[in-house]
Amino acid sequence: MLADPDLSVCVLGLGYIGLPTAAVIARTGARVLGVDVSETVVETVNSGRIHIEEVDLDALVSGVVARGLLSASTQIAPAEVFVIAVPTPFADDHRPDIGYVLRAATAIATVLKAGDTVILESTSPVGATEQVRDLLAALRPDLRLPGLGREADVAIAYCPERVLPGRILHELIANDRVIGGLTPRCGRKALAFYRRFVRGACVTTTARAAEMTKLAENAYRDVNIAFANELSLVADRLGVDVWEVIRLANRHPRVGILQPGPGVGGHCIAVDPWFLVAAAPDDTPLIRAAREVNDGKVTHVVEQASRLIEAYPGAPVACLGLAFKANIDDFRESPALAVAAALARRFGPRVAVVEPYAARLPTAFDGTGARLIDLDAALARCPVMVVLVDHDLFRSVPAEERAGKAVLDTRGIWPDQPRPQPAAAALRLAG
Ligand code: SAJ
């Protein structure tokens, strides 16, 4: 790997992607400034601590902060490389909102100089990198920007992050990267930067192809999860165990069905496919349907769980998990949270929530009377359980400890659990 200790890098956005990226770059010996709008995040990082849960990130951040390689600020400063890692949410009509990206570019414009490189990593609609360039061109008419038919003073590229929460530090280094330069020269400059810390292959292309590649990856996963979720609806109707069907089907050499669940969450797979739909609404019936199937699974699970809960009048109910997936503390767009909150609104104080990654219940539970309890208390007190997240902690509960419980297992973590027979069990409870 190249080691230019004098390289200065500014990472805008210190969230789930920006902070690990900043720390990994700092570990190469570069001086990294992380910029975030949150004073709390800035103070936390400057004290060598982290505000998110990610395997091994705490030790890495405290190390690079102690060595003076990583610091944080709410104010941007001059650097040679700028990495934009801010959120790109969608608006109410599912159209992408790149406001944060453009605000980051506006800040960069105040310190940009000839020779610098600007890299956009945020998942973005196709054309966003050109919009960043056009904004910089408008704000800095003294600089020649790339792709406008003349030699450029700065390089601009799009390089999507592709890391999986829970494996971020490993995947930041091991995964292949797609680097889309606004011009081939921009691509080469960005490539030299990623070569500092990426061991996977770095493939260069155009910015537009790189932008669409990222959206295609997440839409691909969404469509495949939707297939699994749709199968689970069919299996429920037919009284068949969907997990067994998938296990058996996946023994076919050319079949690899994903896992059904309570829906699809997180700030990527549940969001990004809409960017493709927004770009070509008439050409994306499949991608849109997948989104609708996955969102619809939440409603289906709420109804399924409600039927089970109603079959055990008065019995305490434990909802296991709020995170959007296993072993992380990220609750963004979480179907588990949506299901548990809907059940809490419907069944009030009968509902308890177990979430090892939460210190208190999110505001969605305010006024419902639902409480946060630990797993042991739930096992001791709740005859009805709704498994919403496949945290290792929940998986580890042996069959004896859940014997006799009525369980709706939306993640298939307890295959040996007998399926609930609500009518018979209600009689038992009543007797
Ligand atoms: N899920 C299922 N069944 C499955 C797999 C996932 O229901 O078989 C659910 C999860 O429980 C979760 C959601 O899908 O609610 C998304 O989880 P995930 O693990 O599939 O993906 P993310 O959102 O954590 O990360 C994805 C990754 N993209 C792909 O795998 C194509 C990651 O590589 C991206 O970097 C990330 O999106 C991103 O930031 O875009």
Side-chain angles (χ1 to χ4, degrees):
M1 291 203 196
L2 302 179
D4 168 10
D6 294 331
L7 186 75
S8 61
V9 180
C10 183
V11 177
L12 292 98
L14 289 177
Y16 283 87
I17 302 301
L19 180 56
T21 303
V24 164
I25 299 166
R27 188 169 59 189
T28 68
R31 279 171 297 108
V32 181
L33 175 71
V35 177
D36 202 282
V37 289
S38 160
E39 298 270 4
T40 320
V41 168
V42 165
E43 279 165 27
T44 307
V45 172
N46 280 334
S47 66
R49 290 173 297 122
I50 58 175
H51 61 290
I52 53 175
E53 183 81 20
E54 181 59 39
V55 181
D56 296 337
L57 183 62
D58 45 358
L60 175 60
V61 167
S62 69
V64 287
V65 170
R67 287 165 62 201
L69 294 170
L70 173 65
S71 62
S73 172
T74 54
Q75 298 301 318
I76 198 164
E80 288 149 275
V81 180
F82 296 90
V83 178
I84 303 176
V86 296
T88 43
F90 56 57
D92 288 343
D93 58 357
H94 290 139
R95 300 192 74 77
D97 169 3
I98 63 164
Y100 293 112
V101 171
L102 297 179
R103 276 197 279 286
T106 305
I108 292 170
T110 62
V111 292
L112 193 65
K113 57 188 183 320
D116 290 351
T117 301
V118 178
I119 300 168
L120 177 57
E121 284 207 6
S122 311
T123 304
S124 297
V126 175
T129 312
E130 289 162 1
Q131 281 184 258
V132 166
R133 186 262 327 271
D134 293 345
L135 180 60
L136 290 173
L139 295 171
R140 291 294 304 271
D142 55 313
L143 291 172
R144 292 172 300 174
L145 278 302
L148 297 174
R150 49 199 181 141
E151 206 180 313
D153 297 320
V154 295
I156 303 179
Y158 181 73
C159 180
E161 59 83 12
R162 306 169 111 180
V163 290
L164 199 68
R167 290 172 51 81
I168 291 181
L169 290 185
H170 168 75
E171 292 204 355
L172 261 178
I173 291 161
N175 289 2
D176 293 355
R177 297 297 292 241
V178 176
I179 300 171
L182 278 182
T183 63
R185 191 170 159 272
C186 294
R188 287 194 296 278
K189 279 207 82 178
L191 177 78
F193 171 68
Y194 283 101
R195 273 274 147 254
R196 288 180 73 92
F197 61 94
V198 173
R199 285 213 196 91
C202 292
V203 185
T204 52
T205 178
T206 62
R208 290 177 80 86
E211 288 160 343
M212 183 157 165
T213 300
K214 170 69 189 186
L215 301 178
E217 290 165 3
N218 281 356
Y220 168 86
R221 193 153 171 85
D222 198 45
V223 167
N224 281 279
I225 298 169
F227 180 73
N229 277 332
E230 191 160 291
L231 283 185
S232 76
L233 302 187
V234 178
D236 281 349
R237 191 173 286 273
L238 300 178
V240 177
D241 179 350
V242 71
W243 313 100
E244 186 187 10
V245 169
I246 291 174
R247 257 194 320 277
L248 296 173
N250 284 351
R251 297 178 84 93
H252 186 290
R254 283 175 297 283
V255 174
I257 303 172
L258 294 179
Q259 301 298 302
V264 165
H267 207 69
C268 309
I269 309 251
V271 174
D272 306 347
W274 287 118
F275 293 11
L276 287 174
V277 174
D282 296 337
D283 300 319
T284 45
L286 177 66
I287 297 170
R288 174 190 286 275
R291 275 287 67 244
E292 287 166 355
V293 167
N294 286 333
D295 282 349
K297 191 69 195 291
V298 172
T299 319
H300 175 79
V301 170
V302 170
E303 292 315 316
Q304 252 185 330
S306 297
R307 281 197 297 279
L308 183 66
I309 295 167
E310 279 157 7
Y312 296 81
V317 179
C319 291
L320 302 193
L322 294 177
F324 87 82
K325 66 178 195 175
N327 307 323
I328 59 167
D329 70 341
D330 191 342
F331 301 164
R332 289 178 297 175
E333 317 288 334
S334 172
L337 196 156
V339 170
L343 295 177
R345 282 194 296 277
R346 201 174 281 191
F347 297 101
R350 281 179 68 191
V351 174
V353 175
V354 182
E355 176 47 83
Y357 292 95
R360 66 193 69 82
L361 282 182
T363 52
F365 292 86
D366 287 357
T368 62
R371 289 153 306 132
L372 187 66
I373 62 173
D374 67 20
L375 180 60
D376 288 346
L379 288 167
R381 286 188 231 143
C382 301
V384 182
M385 297 193 135
V386 182
V387 179
L388 296 170
V389 184
D390 43 347
H391 287 320
D392 289 347
L393 181 72
F394 303 154
R395 254 182 216 285
S396 71
V397 177
E400 323 68 276
E401 288 197 57
R402 29 184 175 87
K405 293 197 184 294
V407 176
L408 174 63
D409 179 1
T410 69
R411 296 280 186 175
I413 60 169
W414 294 335
D416 52 2
Q417 186 76 20
R419 292 171 143 247
Q421 303 293 331
L427 283 178
R428 224 178 30 242
L429 265 187

